[in-house]
Amino acid sequence: MDFTIDPQVAALRDRVRGFIDGVVIPNEPNVEPHGYPAPERLRSLRDAAKGAGLFAPHVGMEFGGLGLDVRAQTVVFEEAGRSLFGPLALNCSAPDEGNMHLLEKVANAAQKEQYLRPLAAGEIRSCFAMTEKAPGAGSDPSMLQTRAVRRGNRWVIDGDKWFITGADGAAFTICMARTGEKIDRADGATMFLVDAGAPGLTIDRETPSLDHFAIGGHCEMHFRGVEVGDDAILGEVGKGYVYAQVRLGPARLTHCMRWLGVAVRAQEVAVAYALERTSFGRTLAEHGAVQTMLADNAIDIEAARQLTRYAAWVLDSGGAGRAETSTAKVFVAEATGRVVDRALQICGSSGVAGTRPLERFYREIRAFRIYDGPSEVHRMALAERIVRNARAARA
Amino acid sequence: MDFTIDPQVAALRDRVRGFIDGVVIPNEPNVEPHGYPAPERLRSLRDAAKGAGLFAPHVGMEFGGLGLDVRAQTVVFEEAGRSLFGPLALNCSAPDEGNMHLLEKVANAAQKEQYLRPLAAGEIRSCFAMTEKAPGAGSDPSMLQTRAVRRGNRWVIDGDKWFITGADGAAFTICMARTGEKIDRADGATMFLVDAGAPGLTIDRETPSLDHFAIGGHCEMHFRGVEVGDDAILGEVGKGYVYAQVRLGPARLTHCMRWLGVAVRAQEVAVAYALERTSFGRTLAEHGAVQTMLADNAIDIEAARQLTRYAAWVLDSGGAGRAETSTAKVFVAEATGRVVDRALQICGSSGVAGTRPLERFYREIRAFRIYDGPSEVHRMALAERIVRNARAARA
Amino acid sequence: MDFTIDPQVAALRDRVRGFIDGVVIPNEPNVEPHGYPAPERLRSLRDAAKGAGLFAPHVGMEFGGLGLDVRAQTVVFEEAGRSLFGPLALNCSAPDEGNMHLLEKVANAAQKEQYLRPLAAGEIRSCFAMTEKAPGAGSDPSMLQTRAVRRGNRWVIDGDKWFITGADGAAFTICMARTGEKIDRADGATMFLVDAGAPGLTIDRETPSLDHFAIGGHCEMHFRGVEVGDDAILGEVGKGYVYAQVRLGPARLTHCMRWLGVAVRAQEVAVAYALERTSFGRTLAEHGAVQTMLADNAIDIEAARQLTRYAAWVLDSGGAGRAETSTAKVFVAEATGRVVDRALQICGSSGVAGTRPLERFYREIRAFRIYDGPSEVHRMALAERIVRNARAARA
Amino acid sequence: MDFTIDPQVAALRDRVRGFIDGVVIPNEPNVEPHGYPAPERLRSLRDAAKGAGLFAPHVGMEFGGLGLDVRAQTVVFEEAGRSLFGPLALNCSAPDEGNMHLLEKVANAAQKEQYLRPLAAGEIRSCFAMTEKAPGAGSDPSMLQTRAVRRGNRWVIDGDKWFITGADGAAFTICMARTGEKIDRADGATMFLVDAGAPGLTIDRETPSLDHFAIGGHCEMHFRGVEVGDDAILGEVGKGYVYAQVRLGPARLTHCMRWLGVAVRAQEVAVAYALERTSFGRTLAEHGAVQTMLADNAIDIEAARQLTRYAAWVLDSGGAGRAETSTAKVFVAEATGRVVDRALQICGSSGVAGTRPLERFYREIRAFRIYDGPSEVHRMALAERIVRNARAARA
């Protein structure tokens, strides 16, 4: 049991912190209608990150990244997350980051060259199309309605996806479609790589939304007789939900890491405000009610960090980490939400108004309790696992 | 002890409900960048409300209102609050509603004709300028920095106000300024009626903000040598904070009433979704975790309602209701926030996206835990009162 | 809508307060192994209450009580509840109080003379035997296993009851038994009046238990061929669960009232301690974290009180009050538990130790979240009602 | 960063688990008035632990222990904590365990032979006398009133201690007394080793108390002219509060470890009950509200465990760990309290009654939020540290 951060990782962390403080945060606009860096600004931030040797930290070196394992990602992504623009600058933001991971694990060599290489280089964006509106696949994947049917040597995809983050402007989509009659965790669905502009594919951007989350917004995607060949199949036919787990386990954790950075920053903002602002003859930092909130923030942040790192270690050790990533996801989503809420409360009207990052954080972080499995579904899954284990231990 | 709603009030409530469901909600746009009805839409909604005999329910009949007491307001405003456009349509939204109340209680006859009558008729808008940025008056009124100095038979106002809701477009402002050296609850500050366009007065609209709250946004107001005469004094010189209490006590409660309506509507939306959406072979409404949230919403709503009505009765009975309105304000602000949060969680991605009112409610309701006294300040005040009473009981 | 307390009830409340402060609290032992007044002490307290005209406030005057309606009970029971000995002294403690109510509503004239009259006079005690161990009737009444079979002109009762409060020393039991094949809310179970000492009836006292709750403890009762006649039937055959609702609705509320008194007292103890105890150069009452707890206690108490009174008014108005009593029960059980927990925390080691009433309150109040329906079951019932109503409104 | 448990420690953990399940839990009495093993039972449990090579795991091998570092203690004490008798059997229960640690770090060779050796061997018990009643030293050590005055070559101790755990029957006391005029963290107080039976020393056992916590209860100790020589001084004169930190840092953590074991056991009991008990046609484990509680327990337990291990690593790395042990203490005290509360709620009446360990756990665990620093004081200290660090970073 050793919580020491590898010295190389610690050095990288310090450089990321310097980069975020020195380069990224000064580029955070106070006022931006869409909430994301304009293309030129993004390009210049990414060039700076590349120049600093901080780009694509999670991607294998073969594809131009830093090749960090999951534990090292916990350290580096947290730092990057202190600005909402940080993960974009380092090209480790959702959904691209999860898609790179998935492609690295599952795609064949040609697919890697075609999709992973430019994605890792920050030349293109991507999206991941699984969720559907009621009565389709939401929390319950067996309700998947989008269907891919074999016709000759082609597959024809029909269906409607919803809340697909980053779809507007993505160069390609990883689309989950039903290819078998019955769907379960092990069989029945397949992932397809679909290029933007494929005939029959249309995209509607969802506006407004509480969060902006990522360049490209949340979108509806309509597949109407979209045709792809066998070369579009990611991995094997029928194994879509197996790969979804390959993607979702680490993707849950990388969300945790980035949002943890947001929580750390929110606390920094609140501490700075509490030191400045005076009320009833004392600084806010001397009021017991504010002290309680600052301390609770620190406790939530530390617990969130340790749960994330523990789960990362399980993944690095080769475990599937189902319980550990669910535990981290529920706790971190709720804890970081509480931290941002308390930070905003401490800052009062200054927190509500747009001159500080808190109102943006408050809107962005809310959906984390919902996507990649709502807290309620993770709790149900955890409970079922607990009960299953208890039953097994008895037998 | 009798919780019966007066039959006339109950009839009015039913008519307001019909009006909100039949006229206002269909006019809620799904997509609107600024979040408020365009002027023509607002005018048509208000004409409809006047036609239905529902306009300005809290204003005395002399000025064209329905003359409801505070208890009746609890019933009617809750119904109106089920749409964010409802209080606007009925002309009982903040900050105008609180200003009308204040003018009715404190203004002289000429001021009532000049300001109250057109405000009550919905012909003009107004704002209330008390809050200042650090190191000025926030939660602690003794820190007031805006100053009015007597020069000849004129008053010259200098200072900066901040987070002034509705300032952009308001026909007049009620401005709190220091007129004495020492400020306490009873003396030292004065309220002035300042017309829009007064030389030396400029307004900057704050964008973006988490909430939109009211037409006219949250603004900075800069007073630079703004001159007014004695006829601009509201009530008496030095009594500004006494009148602030006249305004704030009921204003806190009317906020509670309107936000309670938002909570009721959020619950309606969540219940409807839970009945439709299926997951893991059951409707959401059949999942225990969702049932728990629906029940907690109902409990929070009922407790919020009863605390609001109880405080309203205290005010109607002539009490100052300091403890009762603080109790209601803290509880209702937190409880309605929880209700909206749970409703959004139940609706999942549909709650986050803009096609349902929940994302808007979520953004709007957050600041209620901050304005009119943050929860922490009300709690401190409540505790000091409890301790003072205990000490007095011993002596 | 009028929250005024009837002047006669207010006068009675003041007299009860004086009695509790002057007579009952001085008789609270600091150290008592079983936690309840010894028989002589109880008798003397009851004689004092009779002398003061405060005895059996909920019972009709025909049977020697004060004949208060439910709203008046909310006022008087809260005062009585400020000492755990208070409701015992006034003969309005559980389970006797609920049994008196049930007998008054359902028993025939002979049964009233035999059971209600001496119970109302405090000459005997009683118990209510519904709950059974798994797999019997707990939260789910349809699982009832105790069975009464007609044999000739007698009924023979067999079964085991559990957690029966006050059974040890009770002069009679109201026993719920299955008399039909299928059990639902309307039919299938019957209540029998069974005298102590009936052949075949044995009682085991459960020790230890977290709470002591009532004289007579929580007991197991074993019915082995216990025979009773038709005169032992309470009301009609098959209507047991209908009567259970007659008993449980108000009984839930009277629990709320008494525990509310405990919460009020806990807050008084905490305030007194916070005024005395100094830490880091200030009294505890001047520490923000303690102020927050005192204010939260006050808010919880006021919300609990208003929800209880509202539900009481619904019952007095002839409503069944299912939703309102469930709402009150859940909220009050949890809120008063929080109040006692915070009071204990404020008092620190003094709260944990036995020299103040808080450790006793802490143990006693915990089970209120479980008996008369655990919070989870009430929430489920509330949610089902909400959904049922929403479905009906659509149709 | 490596969360792997050392294989030797893992093997020891498994043996402790086997010992607790096979030897200790079967010796937990269902009904015991004082809640602790009678002397013979304790002796036989300790002999068994010694036989199994599990005794005094935290003590250096020189004094007969297993010499575990703090990280290894987190693993082993958690297992031991699954029974309240476990730490007693292994001789690693409070307050003896903390005293052994303190003596090992600070005592001179003669003191170690006289006090540490027999304590480590389980031949005697000890106590730690710091806390005083108001207006003495509670959370704020500068309020210390017990005083030791130099008279000739003797020290004369006068003062009253309170809530001294384990004092009744302890062979010796470590008594904190004021030896300087001004007290701060670095100077002014001294620790003395005082033998039981010293002339002038009397002990009153506090009864009843919410918890029983340890053999020997919570006691008042009265020092009236108690004389000791220089050989009774632990470490150096004036350094009492420095040593208190030496004791308290790890002692806070070992409390966390043991209570974590209680939480784990509470969850096991609740899971077993939820699998057995049926309600509304399903096992409790299939009810969403129960699943939520089981999952929240698992999440709380895992977060508590990781925070404890992280702080242990800081201590093992030579850090003072003030922030980390405070963070762990607050979180673990509150989280394990929640776990026990939920477990009790799941078990319903069976949880309240004495036939399962939950009612005992519920009473015992409450004071952990108070002793070794109430949550409020730790939060204040954490906030002050955060603010101090932020101020330093600016300068």
Side-chain angles (χ1 to χ4, degrees), chain C residues 30-32 131-143 162-163 185 206-211 218 273 276-282 287 289-290 293 340-342 344-355 359-360 362-363 366-367 369-371 374-377 380, chain D residues 30-32 131-143 162-163 185 206-211 218 273 276-282 287 289-290 293 340-342 344-355 359-360 362-363 366-367 369-371 374-377 380:
Chain C
N30 279 333
V31 178
E32 233 193 313
T131 302
E132 299 168 350
K133 269 195 186 164
S139 300
D140 177 358
S142 73
M143 297 170 74
W162 184 67
F163 216 70
R185 299 250 165 224
E206 188 77 47
T207 48
S209 171
L210 177 60
D211 66 342
H218 304 301
Y273 188 80
E276 279 167 24
R277 180 62 165 162
T278 300
S279 173
F280 303 100
R282 286 179 281 171
H287 283 274
V290 173
M293 289 193 275
V340 169
D341 183 80
R342 289 188 204 107
L344 190 148
Q345 185 72 11
I346 290 171
C347 294
S349 304
S350 289
V352 173
T355 50
E359 74 91 20
R360 179 79 198 283
Y362 186 75
R363 287 189 287 105
R366 177 62 184 84
R369 280 160 50 201
I370 291 171
Y371 53 66
S375 296
E376 291 70 29
V377 172
M380 188 174 72
Chain D
N30 277 334
V31 177
E32 232 193 311
T131 301
E132 299 168 351
K133 269 195 185 165
S139 300
D140 178 357
S142 73
M143 298 171 73
W162 183 67
F163 216 72
R185 298 246 167 229
E206 188 77 46
T207 46
S209 171
L210 178 59
D211 66 341
H218 303 304
Y273 188 80
E276 278 167 25
R277 180 62 164 164
T278 301
S279 172
F280 302 102
R282 286 178 280 170
H287 282 273
V290 173
M293 289 192 274
V340 169
D341 182 79
R342 289 188 203 107
L344 190 148
Q345 185 71 14
I346 291 170
C347 293
S349 304
S350 289
V352 173
T355 49
E359 75 91 19
R360 180 80 198 283
Y362 186 75
R363 286 189 289 106
R366 178 61 184 84
R369 279 158 51 200
I370 291 170
Y371 54 66
S375 296
E376 291 71 29
V377 172
M380 189 175 70

Side-chain angles (χ1 to χ4, degrees), chain C residues 4 7 22 37 68 72 109 125 210 230 251 259 301 308 328 338 365:
Chain C
T4 312
L68 300 185
R125 290 199 295 98
L210 177 60
D230 282 342
W259 290 118
I301 286 170
T308 304
R338 289 191 294 266
I365 209 165

Side-chain angles (χ1 to χ4, degrees), chain B residues 36-113:
Chain B
Y36 272 92
E40 329 75 73
R41 189 189 297 271
L42 178 59
R43 205 171 313 119
S44 106
L45 284 172
R46 289 187 162 186
D47 286 346
K50 284 177 187 172
L54 306 174
F55 202 68
H58 57 295
V59 176
M61 295 187 202
E62 186 188 348
F63 292 94
L66 304 181
L68 300 184
D69 63 14
V70 188
R71 283 163 298 173
Q73 290 172 32
T74 65
V75 175
V76 169
F77 283 30
E78 179 186 325
E79 287 300 339
R82 286 177 55 251
S83 168
L84 290 170
F85 288 14
L88 286 167
L90 269 57
N91 197 22
C92 62
S93 63
D96 287 337
E97 172 266 323
N99 288 343
M100 293 183 228
H101 175 77
L102 178 62
L103 292 169
E104 213 166 347
K105 292 280 179 196
V106 178
N108 61 36
Q111 291 168 335
K112 283 183 182 172
E113 285 306 318

Side-chain angles (χ1 to χ4, degrees), chain B residues 50-349:
Chain B
K50 284 177 187 172
L54 306 174
F55 202 68
H58 57 295
V59 176
M61 295 187 202
E62 186 188 348
F63 292 94
L66 304 181
L68 300 184
D69 63 14
V70 188
R71 283 163 298 173
Q73 290 172 32
T74 65
V75 175
V76 169
F77 283 30
E78 179 186 325
E79 287 300 339
R82 286 177 55 251
S83 168
L84 290 170
F85 288 14
L88 286 167
L90 269 57
N91 197 22
C92 62
S93 63
D96 287 337
E97 172 266 323
N99 288 343
M100 293 183 228
H101 175 77
L102 178 62
L103 292 169
E104 213 166 347
K105 292 280 179 196
V106 178
N108 61 36
Q111 291 168 335
K112 283 183 182 172
E113 285 306 318
Q114 185 176 353
Y115 296 106
L116 175 56
R117 188 168 297 281
L119 191 59
E123 292 160 9
I124 59 171
R125 289 198 294 101
S126 65
C127 66
F128 185 75
M130 184 157 73
T131 302
E132 298 168 352
K133 268 195 186 166
S139 299
D140 178 357
S142 73
M143 298 170 74
L144 187 70
Q145 300 214 323
T146 297
R147 179 175 296 276
V149 176
R150 184 89 184 159
R151 202 171 299 159
N153 62 351
R154 305 289 283 171
W155 294 87
V156 184
I157 307 176
D158 280 282
D160 298 284
K161 297 292 183 177
W162 183 68
F163 217 70
I164 306 307
T165 304
D168 186 13
F172 71 95
T173 301
I174 300 170
C175 174
M176 181 79 86
R178 171 183 292 264
T179 48
E181 273 324 292
K182 204 165 137 281
I183 295 215
D184 59 30
R185 300 246 166 228
D187 201 12
T190 303
M191 285 185 180
F192 294 92
L193 290 155
V194 182
D195 292 334
L201 173 58
T202 55
I203 292 174
D204 293 327
R205 185 156 182 166
E206 187 77 46
T207 45
S209 171
L210 177 61
D211 66 340
H212 299 160
F213 190 67
I215 297 178
H218 304 302
C219 304
E220 292 198 47
M221 301 184 82
H222 308 288
F223 294 81
R224 296 281 175 273
V226 174
E227 290 195 19
V228 296
D230 282 343
D231 56 342
I233 295 170
L234 188 56
E236 294 176 38
V237 171
K239 298 293 171 224
Y241 279 119
V242 177
Y243 304 145
Q245 287 306 322
V246 167
R247 185 186 189 283
L248 281 176
R252 263 172 217 150
L253 281 191
T254 57
H255 274 308
C256 291
M257 301 167 199
R258 288 182 295 253
W259 289 118
L260 187 53
V262 164
V264 167
R265 174 90 177 283
Q267 169 83 330
E268 292 169 358
V269 170
V271 169
Y273 188 80
L275 277 169
E276 278 165 24
R277 180 64 164 163
T278 300
S279 172
F280 303 100
R282 284 177 281 170
T283 63
L284 291 187
E286 291 165 299
H287 282 273
V290 173
Q291 291 179 327
T292 300
M293 290 193 273
L294 293 176
D296 279 333
N297 279 0
I299 294 168
D300 268 336
I301 286 171
E302 195 59 53
R305 185 180 286 133
Q306 296 307 331
L307 284 176
T308 303
R309 293 188 176 178
Y310 174 62
W313 169 78
V314 171
L315 293 187
D316 279 340
S317 306
R322 296 292 286 269
E324 292 82 1
T325 56
S326 277
T327 298
K329 203 276 179 182
V330 174
F331 187 89
V332 179
E334 297 182 354
T336 54
R338 289 192 295 265
V339 169
V340 170
D341 183 80
R342 289 189 203 107
L344 191 148
Q345 185 71 13
I346 290 171
C347 293
S349 304

